[in-house]
């Protein structure tokens, strides 16, 4: 029975007059004249605790307790309420019973009956962290989770799949557009080169045609140094 404490109850009053139940490992350790150190449910919140029995004439007559809340809810709430993933993604923390410890909007509510949470509980038995997909309000969401044994809770991040895939789609579209543009540029360059070669070949064919008719005074202007230019120079020499 707590006769003096600064732990507050749900009415924000000192929790004097409240009991540690006999089925608690704390009570069992104290009744066996043993100290207790570790995680303990104190009134309505989990604490990191240390209990030491008070022994009078060989009997356990009381206990001293010191502890601190295992979760700094002030910092947790601030983080959860301000942290965003993409546009609407958010972090939250839920304990193993499905009670939401920290959430931007639904703190204190239970998700124990939600199909995705039951799936999460099953997956966490073999994988303490991972990713899963589920449906929420007719939209697909991705859940990233990490089970934290010391507080028996899941740290999670929930993101709509459409938002998650949007950057990937944007990258894919950019690559497609880039490939199309590069192909068009390549085709344009090939067309220019082809026209240039075709023009020079037509000039050469015209000269050959006139030579075949006995016309040997054709003007061949050579302004190129590549193979086609060498061919035109040779034809000029041939005339």
């Amino acid at each position: 029975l707590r006769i003096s404490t600064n732990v507050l109850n749900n009415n924000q009053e000192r929790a004097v007059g409240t009991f540690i139940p006999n089925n608690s490992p704390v009570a069992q350790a104290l009744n066996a004249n043993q100290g207790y150190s570790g995680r303990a449910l104190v009134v309505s919140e989990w604490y990191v605790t240390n209990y030491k029995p008070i022994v009078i004439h060989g009997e356990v007559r009381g206990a001293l307790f010191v502890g601190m809340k295992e979760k700094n809810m002030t910092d947790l709430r601030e983080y959860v309420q301000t942290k965003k993933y993409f546009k609407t993604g958010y972090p939250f923390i839920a304990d193993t019973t499905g009670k939401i410890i920290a959430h931007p909007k639904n703190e204190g509510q239970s998700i124990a009956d939600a199909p995705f949470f039951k799936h999460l509980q099953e997956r966490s038995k073999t994988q303490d962290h991972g990713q899963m997909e589920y449906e929420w309000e007719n939209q697909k969401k991705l859940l990233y989770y990490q089970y934290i044994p010391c507080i028996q809770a899941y740290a999670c991040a929930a993101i709509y799949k459409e938002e998650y895939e949007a950057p990937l789609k944007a990258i894919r579209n950019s690559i497609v557009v880039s490939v199309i543009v590069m192909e068009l540029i390549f085709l344009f360059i090939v067309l220019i080169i082809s026209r240039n070669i075709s023009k020079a070949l037509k000039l050469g064919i015209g000269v050959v045609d006139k030579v075949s008719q006995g016309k040997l005074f054709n003007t061949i202007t050579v302004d190129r140094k590549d193979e086609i230019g060498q061919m035109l120079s040779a034809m000029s020499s041939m005339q």
Side-chain angles (χ1 to χ4, degrees), residues 47-178:
Y47 280 67
V48 178
T49 67
N50 188 288
Y51 291 84
K52 183 177 181 180
I54 298 174
V55 179
I56 301 176
H57 301 306
E59 293 184 11
V60 177
R61 303 296 299 273
L64 294 174
F65 154 85
V66 64
M68 60 184 297
K69 291 181 180 179
E70 67 177 6
K71 294 179 288 294
N72 186 332
M73 293 305 298
T74 301
D75 288 348
L76 271 178
R77 287 189 181 101
E78 182 180 356
Y79 179 83
V80 167
Q81 290 171 3
T82 56
K83 183 66 175 178
K84 294 291 183 185
Y85 304 110
F86 298 95
K87 293 182 179 179
T88 60
Y90 56 87
F92 70 93
I93 301 174
D95 66 20
T96 52
T97 67
K99 180 182 178 181
I100 298 178
I101 299 171
H103 191 282
K105 298 179 180 178
N106 301 323
E107 184 176 318
Q109 297 184 16
S110 175
I111 53 174
D113 296 329
F116 86 88
F117 184 73
K118 293 179 179 179
H119 187 199
L120 171 61
Q121 288 178 310
E122 288 299 317
R123 283 178 62 101
S124 63
K125 291 178 181 178
T126 55
Q127 294 178 302
D128 62 357
H129 68 281
Q131 170 193 341
M132 53 179 278
E133 184 177 316
Y134 67 102
E135 192 165 301
W136 185 262
E137 297 179 348
N138 298 321
Q139 294 190 65
K140 290 185 177 180
K141 298 189 78 171
L142 296 174
L143 183 74
Y144 296 86
Y145 71 90
Q146 170 76 54
Y147 177 64
I148 306 175
C150 62
I151 62 172
Q152 296 182 15
Y154 305 97
C156 304
I159 307 168
Y160 282 104
K161 189 175 181 181
E162 184 177 355
E163 290 183 12
Y164 174 81
E165 293 180 344
L168 300 178
K169 291 180 179 178
I171 293 173
R172 180 198 63 189
N173 294 339
S174 297
I175 293 174
V176 170
V177 171
S178 299

Side-chain angles (χ1 to χ4, degrees), residues 209-235:
D209 186 53
K210 289 179 181 180
V211 169
S212 69
Q213 298 174 23
K215 300 176 181 179
L216 303 177
F217 299 97
N218 305 290
T219 300
I220 302 177
T221 302
V222 182
D223 57 357
R224 27 192 324 152
K225 298 184 181 297
D226 57 6
E227 289 82 357
I228 293 177
Q230 294 173 11
M231 180 191 72
L232 293 175
S233 296
M235 291 177 67

Side-chain angles (χ1 to χ4, degrees), residues 7-15 18 43-45:
V7 175
L8 303 181
N9 58 25
N10 294 331
N11 296 325
Q12 297 302 300
E13 299 171 342
R14 291 179 184 269
T18 56
V43 184
S44 60
E45 294 193 58

